[in-house]
Amino acid sequence: SVPRPESLSSGINAEYGQLVRERERVMANLVDDLGQEMLYLPGTAALVQDIDKRVMVVLRDGRTLIGYLRSLDQFANLLLTQTIERIHVRNMYGDIDRGVYLVRGENVLLCGETDFRKSKFKELKQVSQEEILKIQAEELKEKEERQKLLKKAFQDRGMPYYSMDTMADEGF
């Protein structure tokens, strides 16, 4: 026998009703400890809302990347386009064009959408790429000199000295 149109319609309505009830059941479970609905996705899934938006990514080694988030995966590996590396030294900053940039997820310290209209970068002076790299090298040299003096002072007193850099290298 051929199904009658009204029986098809009632079957579709029943399936739709079942889907709506299932969605309501799932949404009812998305409640935090205080009984408030969770309006966010946990973990890496939260970055899905930032796809095709301009984001700032801070890496474990301290570098700052700014670009358009084009893709990501469950490991927080990020694909950025029109990427710049922004270097900050004292009250200055400089940008280095990096183009398309793939960031391995384990190196991501912080990632979020940026709004440069509200940015505090306006308080900083922008300098050329060559100038910021030169200033950064000078700053790094000064830091290494200070670290050597500290290490010598500790050793003179018979104490071990571990800088944050050596702790990371030695697996602390």
Side-chain angles (χ1 to χ4, degrees), residues 7-142:
S7 65
L8 284 175
S9 175
S10 65
I12 291 172
N13 286 337
E15 283 184 46
Y16 178 73
Q18 185 179 357
L19 288 173
V20 168
R21 286 188 296 280
E22 178 66 18
R23 181 183 178 281
E24 288 172 355
R25 185 188 67 76
V26 169
M27 293 305 287
N29 291 331
L30 292 176
V31 174
D32 67 8
D33 295 337
L34 300 174
Q36 298 172 338
E37 278 190 47
M38 294 191 306
L39 300 175
Y40 64 91
L41 295 168
T44 305
L47 291 173
V48 170
Q49 65 192 11
D50 290 333
I51 288 183
D52 293 331
K53 293 182 182 170
R54 194 165 191 203
V55 295
M56 178 182 287
V57 180
V58 179
L59 303 179
R60 282 191 332 178
D61 63 3
R63 288 183 291 161
T64 302
L65 302 173
I66 300 169
Y68 289 91
L69 180 63
R70 298 298 183 198
S71 183
L72 67 127
D73 64 11
Q74 70 270 27
F75 304 109
N77 295 320
L78 308 175
L79 180 67
L80 304 173
T81 60
Q82 300 177 23
T83 309
I84 59 169
E85 180 179 346
R86 182 155 286 174
I87 299 174
H88 303 92
V89 181
R90 300 183 198 118
N91 65 339
M92 296 170 275
Y93 74 95
D95 294 337
I96 301 173
D97 198 14
R98 297 293 186 198
V100 176
Y101 210 91
L102 180 62
V103 181
R104 187 175 169 99
E106 67 182 17
N107 294 315
V108 175
L109 184 67
L110 177 74
C111 178
E113 185 179 2
T114 57
D115 184 0
F116 288 101
R117 293 175 300 212
K118 299 177 182 176
S119 173
K120 298 204 180 218
F121 285 123
K122 296 174 187 172
E123 300 170 6
L124 302 176
K125 177 184 174 193
Q126 184 172 8
V127 296
S128 69
Q129 174 181 338
E130 295 80 18
E131 193 173 347
I132 198 69
L133 289 173
K134 180 180 157 200
I135 295 168
Q136 183 184 39
E138 291 169 1
E139 185 99 352
L140 185 60
K141 189 174 180 182
E142 290 171 12

